[in-house]
Amino acid sequence: MPAMISSIAELEALYGEPSEASLLKEAHRIVPEYRAFIEASPFVALATHGPEGLDCSPRGDGPGFVRVQDEKTLLMPDRRGNNRVDSLRNIVRNPQVGLLFLIPGIGETLRVNGLAVISVEPALLQSFAVDGKAPKSVIVITIETVFFQCARAILRSELWNPQKHVARERLPSAGQILAAVSQNRFDGEAYDKALPERQKTTLY
């Protein structure tokens, strides 16, 4: 394919030197300023890699649901889901993880790279219980690098602009997607009908 970048030298020649600020912002521990972002965030994307390839999974809960244990360690409860456990399968075989924290209304995001293990220590699980329901596991992440990302992507996308929010009915529902990809072997209508109550009763 023509006009493809095939070396780091070509890439650096195209983009030039990184700014001083973009290098200075990187830390190898959670400084108080970065801790404030983590404790305010109700949503993080978790990236992992395994033999089958890459995966990126959304994780969300109340602000600060990813707990700062110390300046080198984060704790993330694994709440109820669909039991595919793609991220956990990857972590068992490859501990490298990447996190992207988002905070509603804030342009800057926070990026964390590190190494993860999966803990099922009973006291730790219980410390994350909500409504008496503990997670099945907790992802323990040892920090390698942490740095903020500037607001350009959020500003360009207008992600937090309510006037840009998409009405749900403009896109296929979960049931419609399941019916389509299964060639109508799955009852999508019944799935959609039961989904609101199922989500309400199985959040934790």
Side-chain angles (χ1 to χ4, degrees), residues 104-177:
I106 302 299
E108 290 79 14
T109 57
L110 190 72
R111 294 168 60 178
V112 174
N113 297 311
L115 301 175
V117 295
I118 302 168
S119 175
V120 291
E121 202 280 317
L124 180 60
L125 300 183
Q126 194 58 41
S127 74
F128 280 98
V130 174
D131 296 334
K133 299 175 183 177
K136 288 189 175 181
S137 67
V138 172
I139 302 171
V140 181
I141 301 155
T142 300
I143 301 294
E144 292 187 321
T145 59
V146 53
F147 53 96
F148 76 89
Q149 186 77 30
C150 78
R152 290 188 185 92
I154 301 297
L155 293 174
R156 285 191 292 257
S157 66
E158 297 189 67
L159 183 63
W160 307 129
N161 182 353
Q163 295 181 349
K164 299 290 185 176
H165 288 183
V166 177
R168 186 63 189 85
E169 60 270 17
R170 288 180 55 189
L171 295 173
S173 68
Q176 289 169 335
I177 295 170

Side-chain angles (χ1 to χ4, degrees), residues 16-143:
E17 294 293 324
S19 68
E20 181 182 21
S22 71
L23 299 176
L24 288 175
K25 67 184 179 182
E26 184 174 325
H28 300 284
R29 60 186 178 86
I30 303 170
V31 297
E33 292 76 12
Y34 287 160
R35 180 173 188 146
F37 271 75
I38 294 168
E39 292 179 343
S41 174
F43 180 90
V44 62
L46 169 65
T48 59
H49 182 262
E52 293 83 15
L54 294 166
D55 184 70
C56 189
S57 173
R59 304 296 170 117
D61 210 332
F65 76 100
V66 176
R67 184 184 301 168
V68 180
Q69 176 172 275
D70 56 52
E71 65 178 15
K72 290 290 290 184
T73 313
L74 296 177
L75 305 173
M76 180 191 299
D78 190 63
R79 299 296 185 193
R80 291 186 66 168
N82 55 22
N83 293 334
R84 282 183 57 111
V85 295
D86 296 309
S87 299
L88 302 185
R89 291 178 192 275
N90 285 344
I91 289 171
V92 166
R93 297 171 295 180
N94 180 349
Q96 291 180 306
V97 297
L99 307 175
L100 178 66
F101 290 89
L102 278 74
I103 304 170
I106 302 299
E108 290 79 14
T109 57
L110 190 72
R111 294 168 60 178
V112 174
N113 297 311
L115 301 175
V117 295
I118 302 168
S119 175
V120 291
E121 202 280 317
L124 180 60
L125 300 183
Q126 194 58 41
S127 74
F128 280 98
V130 174
D131 296 334
K133 299 175 183 177
K136 288 189 175 181
S137 67
V138 172
I139 302 171
V140 181
I141 301 155
T142 300
I143 301 294

